Amino acid sequence: MVIIIIMLALPSFAKNYLIKNSKEFLGRQIDMEKLRVNYFTSTLKVYNFKMYEANDKDIFTSFDTLLINVAPLKYLSNVKALEQFYLEGLRVNISKKDSVFNYDDLLAYHKPSDSVKTDTTGKASVKYLLENLELKNASFLYYNANVDDETRIDNFSFLIPRISWDQEQESNAKLKFNLDNDGYVESDFNMFPQTGEFNGTIRINQLPLNSFYKYVAQYARINALEGTVNSTINFNGNSKNPNETILSGTMEGLKLMLTDQNNKKILGGEKITCKLKKIDPAKASYIIESLNVEEPYIKFELDTVSNNLSRIFNPFEDLKESDEKNSENLSGEKKIYYAINNVEVKNGVLDYTDNLTGKPFDYHLSEILIDTDSINSESEWIEFTSDMLLNNRGTLKAEVGFNPANLKNMHLDIAIKDFLLSDLNIYANYYAGHSVLRGDMFYFTDSKITNGIIESNNNLLIKNVSVENIKGGLYSLPLKFAVLLLKDKNGDIELTVPVRGDLNKPEIDVWKIVWATLKKLIFNTTKNPVKHLAQLVDAKPKDLEQITFKYPDTIINTEQQRKLDLLLRLEKIKPGLQIEMNYIADNDLLREEIAKANGLDSLTNASEDTLYENIKTNLPADSLSRDSLSVEIGLEKSNLSPQLDSIAQQYSDALILNIKNYLKTKQPETIIKVQKADQKKPENVGAVTQFKMKYTMKDSSAGNKEELQETPNDKN
């Protein structure tokens, strides 16, 4: 009877004793509502258990019901056995401030003394039998005071029917808990106790990324992190070598979005799917079957100092330095092998803003498609194709090949169609002083980089191009005149622009090479316009440079007419072109010609009387009037030299008038200027009698011409 009373009173006594001495036994104060023991079924039950924080006020952990059912008879056979372990309503509150967790004092309290050594030699292998292990409706709360963030896991449950040391059949375990927004995590785990082999699957459904925002914000200047993650990860391994576990499966991100501190979207993606073929950390091998990105978005802003992404993620520089130090310490580890069998990007968008000119240049790239086959760390050459839409109109197609181990070996094949030149007005105004640039551009490039040596062949076709002058610009290029000259018969511009350079030289900049090449092309075109103009009228450049005459002829011969007709054709083809025919001649040489034409060897050796008689006798009566021009030559013996100058003057006037009449007769609306050049200019010295052509550009607004101007920098 006494024994029965003791047995009945023992649970209550044990409960009170444990509560009173819990700090000594456990290191923390505990409390419980009930403690029940069923001696006949070997069952222990605990209800409404609580363990407090170190302050004895806040609850660290609690549970509603704990049921333990042992099998004492099996202990006689040295088998540690549980017929049932059931825990319901477990709640655990974990918090962290700086580097201190709220359970650190418990770890320290239960840490074995360094002076105590456990002798494990000679121990027999442990025999165990665990059945019906179940955790139901558990919840975990983690609070990080460093970022003021709280993470909660609710309805955490699992059930393991059986685990045995001599089990021939696999042991199964299922685990599941809920996340915010109706998400959940569940796992299936299978293990073969005899061999140690295990396998399983972890499934994550609708894991909200905003739960990790405050953690990411420690390393990036962002305001929001949105999206959800789904994944199914399969694992296979052995408990004897858990580090050799192999992973595979799929990972999926939906409606991803990252915003900067101005709440502007900078990164995003409608859907990202990654299929893991084989991840083997022990062998440093990572093989991805495919990476598919749907509707990715990037906002990139560039200025003279940096760019928005560098500023947002700049805190990662500290991590980079740490990684570099770690890589030095781990230099003896295995070389990493990676492979991605397929990468595909669909309907990508890139919003690009350039502030280099002082005004924002915004450009919208959309419908970006990228496709490539296998990429791996041992690849000697990788190729991918890309398509995209340029500012909702133009198209770009590209084939790119490169050596991933050495980016100084690359091949680019790019075709751009229907690109709007007006999109580049900010650059045109800044660099060339032209703010209104219109036309459709077609661009094709075949570029090769071999050991850092770039060899790029670029072909441009520009249709319906026009330029409006605005004074200013960094280089004051004669772009408008160059455009006029470069237009072909159809009004198009077709150019071949070769680019060459050595990228191994640190001072070399590809864009500077391109700009220098284009600048040289523009100046060469405007300095030597006849080369391009001659192609329009199927002529030789010399035909458009000058027309020569010989005294005393003023009749326009067939060859001279042909050249004048070319000018008239050119004027029709190029209505914006101003053509000038400037009469030049060395007056001394012309006086010599007049003398020779009248039978004198030299003006200097003839007396005025002889010269007078020869000119009067030998000068053809109609030499200066055969084109309806009547010139009275009243030679007098006195003051003959000025009269010779007058003859030369009348001769040049006759030529100018005859050419004007010819041009007006052939084309009445012509505005080709025929005029006498300044006789004091050096170009007259030693010049035969001729008309030298000059080509400039009419300015319809002010009547001025666009002249070729060079800044000091442009002359270099």
Side-chain angles (χ1 to χ4, degrees):
M1 186 66 179
V2 175
I3 295 177
I4 294 175
I5 294 174
I6 293 175
M7 293 176 64
L8 293 174
L10 183 60
S12 179
F13 172 79
K15 183 194 79 169
N16 295 328
Y17 183 78
L18 289 173
I19 292 174
K20 184 177 180 180
N21 298 280
S22 57
K23 284 191 174 183
E24 181 182 349
F25 296 148
L26 303 176
R28 288 277 185 89
Q29 182 62 49
I30 68 169
D31 192 13
M32 67 184 77
E33 181 181 339
K34 296 179 181 179
L35 176 64
R36 296 285 185 266
V37 178
N38 188 323
Y39 299 102
F40 299 102
T41 60
S42 302
T43 301
L44 171 68
K45 294 182 180 180
V46 179
Y47 298 95
N48 296 327
F49 173 88
K50 298 176 183 178
M51 175 181 283
Y52 291 92
E53 296 278 7
N55 60 14
D56 295 337
K57 295 180 180 179
D58 301 321
I59 296 177
F60 169 63
T61 184
S62 65
F63 57 80
D64 297 332
T65 304
L66 171 64
L67 187 151
I68 299 177
N69 189 356
V70 300
L73 294 179
K74 289 186 171 57
Y75 279 77
L76 299 176
S77 303
N78 198 27
V79 177
K80 295 179 173 57
L82 275 180
E83 291 185 348
Q84 184 181 15
F85 178 91
Y86 176 85
L87 180 60
E88 182 179 0
L90 175 66
R91 291 173 290 276
V92 180
N93 299 309
I94 299 175
S95 62
K96 175 186 178 184
K97 185 174 183 180
D98 297 328
S99 60
V100 179
F101 287 89
N102 63 335
Y103 53 75
D104 286 349
D105 60 314
L106 288 175
L107 295 178
Y109 186 84
H110 293 282
K111 183 179 180 180
S113 174
D114 294 338
S115 60
V116 178
K117 295 183 179 180
T118 304
D119 185 8
T120 58
T121 59
K123 279 193 174 183
S125 60
V126 177
K127 298 180 180 180
Y128 57 88
L129 173 61
L130 308 177
E131 298 178 295
N132 299 318
L133 307 179
E134 183 176 4
L135 177 66
K136 186 175 181 181
N137 296 330
S139 64
F140 298 88
L141 178 66
Y142 172 64
Y143 176 71
N144 190 331
N146 297 331
V147 295
D148 190 25
D149 181 71
E150 184 179 279
T151 302
R152 179 181 295 276
I153 296 176
D154 294 319
N155 298 320
F156 184 88
S157 302
F158 68 77
L159 172 64
I160 303 176
R162 177 184 174 90
I163 300 177
S164 172
W165 90 99
D166 60 351
Q167 184 175 340
E168 296 182 0
Q169 302 295 325
E170 64 180 349
S171 178
N172 303 317
K174 292 185 179 294
L175 175 151
K176 182 176 181 179
F177 60 87
N178 294 336
L179 303 170
D180 294 338
N181 302 324
D182 299 325
Y184 63 85
V185 175
E186 65 178 4
S187 173
D188 297 326
F189 181 80
N190 307 306
M191 183 173 182
F192 296 87
Q194 287 188 331
T195 62
E197 294 181 356
F198 61 82
N199 61 72
T201 301
I202 299 175
R203 286 176 289 274
I204 300 176
N205 183 63
Q206 297 186 31
L207 174 66
L209 292 180
N210 58 8
S211 302
F212 304 95
Y213 155 70
K214 292 185 178 180
Y215 296 96
V216 178
Q218 293 182 92
Y219 307 101
R221 299 179 177 95
I222 62 173
N223 264 13
L225 174 63
E226 302 291 342
T228 57
V229 172
N230 301 320
S231 69
T232 300
I233 305 298
N234 304 310
F235 55 88
N236 291 273
N238 193 292
S239 59
K240 298 176 182 178
N241 297 293
N243 293 333
E244 297 180 1
T245 301
I246 305 297
L247 305 177
S248 63
T250 61
M251 301 182 67
E252 178 184 74
L254 300 175
K255 299 187 181 304
L256 308 177
M257 184 180 70
L258 199 68
T259 65
D260 62 15
Q261 292 182 332
N262 294 319
N263 285 326
K264 291 182 180 179
K265 182 179 179 181
I266 53 171
L267 296 173
E270 185 66 20
K271 184 178 181 180
I272 300 177
T273 304
C274 180
K275 294 183 178 180
L276 308 177
K277 185 175 183 179
K278 184 178 181 181
I279 307 299
D280 189 350
K283 296 181 179 179
S285 175
Y286 306 88
I287 303 176
I288 297 175
E289 180 61 33
S290 63
L291 177 63
N292 298 307
V293 185
E294 298 181 18
E295 300 182 31
Y297 175 83
I298 299 176
K299 174 63 177 177
F300 185 77
E301 297 181 358
L302 182 67
D303 56 39
T304 55
V305 178
S306 181
N307 62 78
N308 64 322
L309 296 183
S310 294
R311 287 189 293 270
I312 290 170
F313 297 103
N314 188 52
F316 281 126
E317 289 298 319
D318 296 336
L319 294 180
K320 181 179 179 181
E321 294 178 1
S322 175
D323 290 341
E324 290 176 352
K325 292 179 180 179
N326 291 336
S327 63
E328 294 176 0
N329 297 332
L330 301 176
S331 58
E333 289 193 355
K334 297 178 181 178
K335 182 179 179 181
I336 294 177
Y337 173 81
Y338 65 86
I340 306 177
N341 293 335
N342 178 257
V343 177
E344 187 175 19
V345 177
K346 297 180 180 178
N347 297 322
V349 173
L350 170 62
D351 280 330
Y352 173 78
T353 299
D354 183 346
N355 296 296
L356 296 178
T357 64
K359 295 181 179 179
F361 167 72
D362 297 319
Y363 205 75
H364 181 70
L365 304 175
S366 59
E367 298 184 16
I368 299 174
L369 301 177
I370 299 176
D371 190 13
T372 182
D373 290 330
S374 179
I375 300 174
N376 65 72
S377 55
E378 298 177 354
S379 296
E380 295 182 355
W381 194 255
I382 294 174
E383 294 183 348
F384 69 86
T385 60
S386 177
D387 295 0
M388 64 186 68
L389 190 64
L390 309 177
N391 245 15
N392 300 316
R393 187 178 186 274
T395 61
L396 180 148
K397 292 182 178 293
E399 293 183 1
V400 180
F402 63 95
N403 182 344
N406 183 5
L407 294 180
K408 290 184 178 181
N409 291 282
M410 186 178 295
H411 180 212
L412 304 173
D413 190 355
I414 299 174
I416 295 177
K417 297 182 179 180
D418 298 322
F419 177 85
L420 286 176
L421 286 181
S422 58
D423 292 339
L424 301 178
N425 275 335
I426 288 179
Y427 294 117
N429 187 37
Y430 181 74
Y431 288 108
H434 303 268
S435 68
V436 180
L437 192 64
R438 297 186 179 91
D440 300 328
M441 186 181 77
F442 298 78
Y443 170 73
F444 306 90
T445 181
D446 185 5
S447 302
K448 294 181 180 179
I449 302 176
T450 306
N451 296 324
I453 307 299
I454 182 171
E455 182 177 343
S456 178
N457 297 312
N458 305 275
N459 297 298
L460 291 89
L461 174 62
I462 306 174
K463 293 181 174 291
N464 306 316
V465 63
S466 63
V467 182
E468 179 181 330
N469 265 341
I470 290 183
K471 291 184 179 180
L474 194 61
Y475 297 102
S476 297
L477 294 181
L479 181 60
K480 191 173 183 180
F481 188 30
V483 166
L484 177 67
L485 296 173
L486 291 171
K487 284 185 178 180
D488 61 18
K489 298 177 182 179
N490 300 317
D492 301 332
I493 295 177
E494 191 166 0
L495 299 175
T496 298
V497 184
V499 176
R500 304 289 185 269
D502 186 355
L503 302 182
N504 295 305
K505 298 179 180 179
E507 69 274 13
I508 294 298
D509 186 311
V510 175
W511 291 112
K512 288 183 179 179
I513 295 175
V514 173
W515 171 247
T517 303
L518 289 173
K519 186 172 65 171
K520 182 179 179 181
L521 173 65
I522 292 172
F523 278 121
N524 287 346
T525 299
T526 52
K527 283 181 178 179
N528 186 23
V530 295
K531 179 180 178 181
H532 298 275
L533 295 175
Q535 297 175 359
L536 298 175
V537 291
D538 300 322
K540 297 179 180 179
K542 290 185 178 180
D543 295 338
L544 303 180
E545 291 176 351
Q546 62 185 24
I547 300 177
T548 59
F549 287 83
K550 187 173 181 63
Y551 179 85
D553 295 331
T554 58
I555 294 178
I556 303 174
N557 61 35
T558 303
E559 177 62 17
Q560 293 162 344
Q561 289 180 13
R562 184 183 70 84
K563 292 184 177 181
L564 290 172
D565 291 342
L566 289 174
L567 296 180
L568 291 171
R569 284 180 57 199
L570 194 59
E571 185 183 32
K572 281 284 189 182
I573 295 174
K574 294 283 187 184
L577 184 67
Q578 179 65 63
I579 303 175
E580 296 180 4
M581 298 182 64
N582 294 304
Y583 172 84
I584 64 172
D586 188 316
N587 197 51
D588 292 337
L589 293 179
L590 181 56
R591 286 161 58 94
E592 292 279 352
E593 287 187 24
I594 294 173
K596 290 180 180 180
N598 290 278
L600 300 175
D601 292 335
S602 173
L603 288 173
T604 58
N605 296 326
S607 66
E608 289 189 356
D609 290 342
T610 305
L611 180 62
Y612 173 79
E613 292 299 329
N614 276 277
I615 293 176
K616 189 174 182 180
T617 303
N618 297 316
L619 187 66
D622 61 346
S623 64
L624 297 178
S625 60
R626 58 184 63 179
D627 288 320
S628 302
L629 175 65
S630 177
V631 179
E632 295 295 335
I633 305 204
L635 290 175
E636 298 178 2
K637 290 184 179 181
S638 62
N639 200 22
L640 182 60
S641 182
Q643 293 184 56
L644 290 174
D645 290 338
S646 177
I647 294 172
Q649 175 68 36
Q650 292 182 62
Y651 177 71
S652 64
D653 291 342
L655 286 178
I656 292 173
L657 184 59
N658 285 349
I659 288 180
K660 284 183 177 179
N661 289 338
Y662 180 85
L663 295 173
K664 284 291 184 181
T665 301
K666 295 280 290 190
Q667 194 165 290
E669 67 276 14
T670 183
I671 59 171
I672 295 177
K673 292 184 178 181
V674 185
Q675 59 193 7
K676 183 177 291 187
D678 187 351
Q679 299 300 303
K680 296 179 181 180
K681 287 189 175 182
E683 62 180 344
N684 290 277
V685 178
V688 298
T689 303
Q690 62 180 287
F691 286 88
K692 191 172 184 179
M693 272 70 85
K694 181 180 180 181
Y695 302 94
T696 56
M697 184 172 184
K698 291 184 295 185
D699 189 331
S700 59
S701 62
N704 297 324
K705 301 179 291 294
E706 181 183 71
E707 299 289 348
L708 177 62
Q709 299 176 352
E710 296 184 41
T711 64
N713 291 335
D714 294 328
K715 293 179 181 179
N716 296 329

